[in-house]
Amino acid sequence: MPDLILHHYPFSTFSEKVRTALGHKGLAWRSVEIAGMPPRPLLAPLTGGYRRAPVLQVGADIYCDTHVILPALDRLHPQRTLYPPGSQGIAEGLGFAWERQLWIPVIGVLVHFIGEHIPPEFIKDRKEGYLGIDISRPAMAPQFPQHLQAVRAQLGWLRQALAAQPFLLGDAPSAADLAVWQTIHLLRKNCPPEVDALLGLAPLVPWYERIAAIGHGTPAAMSAEEAFEVARASAPAPVSHLAPDGDPGGLRAGCPVTVTPDDNARVPVNGTLVAASDHEVVIHRHDAQAGDLHLHFPRLGFDVVAA
């Protein structure tokens, strides 16, 4: 099986979610460190312009978004599952809802504490090309009470859920734990210690530390040039886990489609439909230098339309 290649940057909290999933599974992987914002000249041809991080590469198969990366890791490396038996639906749904609900409020709390340290060019990029809002401290300050209230309310049910068991779905960590944990990790790693008291995090610290202790598996550095060459020299794997006519909207294999995130970083990616389900869509792209690629996206959170 080709190496697992993760394109990521250190302070990306969604990358931390995948790094920890790799650690939970005890996997060796290749680490390609990318910039926190475009341009990424050797990654963009692999993703068709998709600009969010992380991206998982397996040969010439490119997995975009953590909600397709984690299921792919579990399919390709089923040991130490991220989805305890019977839990995949609740784990994926809970993780998606948590991240959608809390992403902007968590940023609001974060910039309240460290906003003056965020580079102006990063703020400009997030406003113009990613989130569509100004995340500077002055701009977000008026909403801080609402953001704080939203985070505390979510943490309230989390404390209840973890009151009698070590992880959200029982005795072992799951994809749901990683989705929830990564947002709290963003705050605890970057904010002063008083954030714990402000948010009522003390009862959650044992759970938090159990996940933090998982680590990141065994990464080995790889250059963007090396990763690009792997894609160029590889062929996409046959899609055997999805039916070619399984698209819930009636799209058929072979038709041109456009895939676009429905929330932020709304860069459309064009390709030819290979296979789809109500969980995942796979499209084929041919890049003049990288060659033939299969791009994998989760269905939830993305618009898939005939081009």
Side-chain angles (χ1 to χ4, degrees):
M1 182 179 294
D3 287 343
L4 300 170
I5 303 171
L6 187 67
H7 300 258
H8 64 120
Y9 54 93
F11 63 90
S12 163
T13 185
F14 288 92
S15 296
E16 183 65 18
K17 175 183 174 182
V18 176
R19 292 188 291 256
T20 305
L22 291 161
H24 173 65
K25 288 181 167 292
L27 293 172
W29 52 282
R30 307 303 301 274
S31 171
V32 179
E33 191 169 318
I34 62 175
M37 56 186 179
R40 300 166 182 148
L42 291 177
L43 181 59
L46 301 184
T47 64
Y50 173 81
R51 59 154 295 168
R52 301 197 297 203
V55 170
L56 179 70
Q57 175 187 348
V58 185
D61 282 83
I62 311 298
Y63 294 85
C64 303
D65 193 278
T66 64
H67 290 282
V68 78
I69 292 174
L70 265 60
L73 287 176
D74 226 54
R75 176 170 51 84
L76 297 172
H77 298 276
Q79 73 278 11
R80 301 181 190 173
T81 181
L82 293 162
Y83 305 99
S87 75
Q88 186 158 357
I90 189 66
E92 291 185 356
L94 190 157
F96 181 86
W98 175 280
E99 290 169 350
R100 276 294 176 97
Q101 181 71 20
L102 275 194
W103 187 223
I104 298 302
V106 164
I107 292 174
V109 174
L110 181 72
V111 302
H112 173 79
F113 286 104
I114 67 163
E116 67 273 18
H117 302 299
I118 301 176
E121 61 271 18
F122 187 85
I123 292 173
K124 182 175 185 290
D125 173 74
R126 268 27 187 188
K127 180 179 180 180
E128 296 179 359
Y130 196 101
L131 295 171
I133 64 171
D134 186 344
I135 64 166
S136 66
R137 187 173 182 180
M140 299 205 84
Q143 294 178 284
F144 176 67
Q146 293 97 315
H147 291 153
L148 181 61
Q149 177 178 308
V151 176
R152 286 185 61 94
Q154 289 284 84
L155 293 175
W157 77 253
L158 182 61
R159 288 191 295 270
Q160 288 181 316
L162 292 166
Q165 57 190 27
F167 298 102
L168 279 170
L169 301 181
D171 294 330
S174 69
D177 290 278
L178 299 188
V180 172
W181 179 84
Q182 57 104 348
T183 55
I184 300 171
H185 173 266
L186 179 67
L187 295 174
R188 293 194 87 221
K189 181 180 179 181
N190 294 289
C191 297
E194 55 260 35
V195 75
D196 278 16
L198 183 68
L199 297 176
L201 286 171
L204 297 172
V205 169
W207 163 82
Y208 178 93
E209 292 181 344
R210 282 193 289 272
I211 298 178
I214 290 171
H216 295 158
T218 309
M222 183 183 228
S223 70
E225 291 78 8
E226 290 173 309
F228 191 87
E229 177 58 24
V230 167
R232 192 198 64 77
S234 302
V239 179
S240 59
H241 64 292
L242 300 176
D245 58 352
D247 178 71
L251 296 173
R252 309 291 293 185
C255 75
V257 295
T258 299
V259 183
T260 311
D262 68 9
D263 56 343
N264 54 51
R266 293 181 55 84
V267 179
V269 179
N270 298 309
T272 302
L273 186 69
V274 176
S277 70
D278 51 3
H279 298 292
E280 180 180 351
V281 59
V282 183
I283 65 172
H284 169 266
R285 284 183 54 83
H286 180 80
D287 180 81
Q289 272 134 3
D292 292 308
L293 305 162
H294 279 177
L295 275 61
H296 302 246
F297 297 90
R299 199 53 184 268
L300 190 61
F302 287 77
D303 293 325
V304 183
V305 297

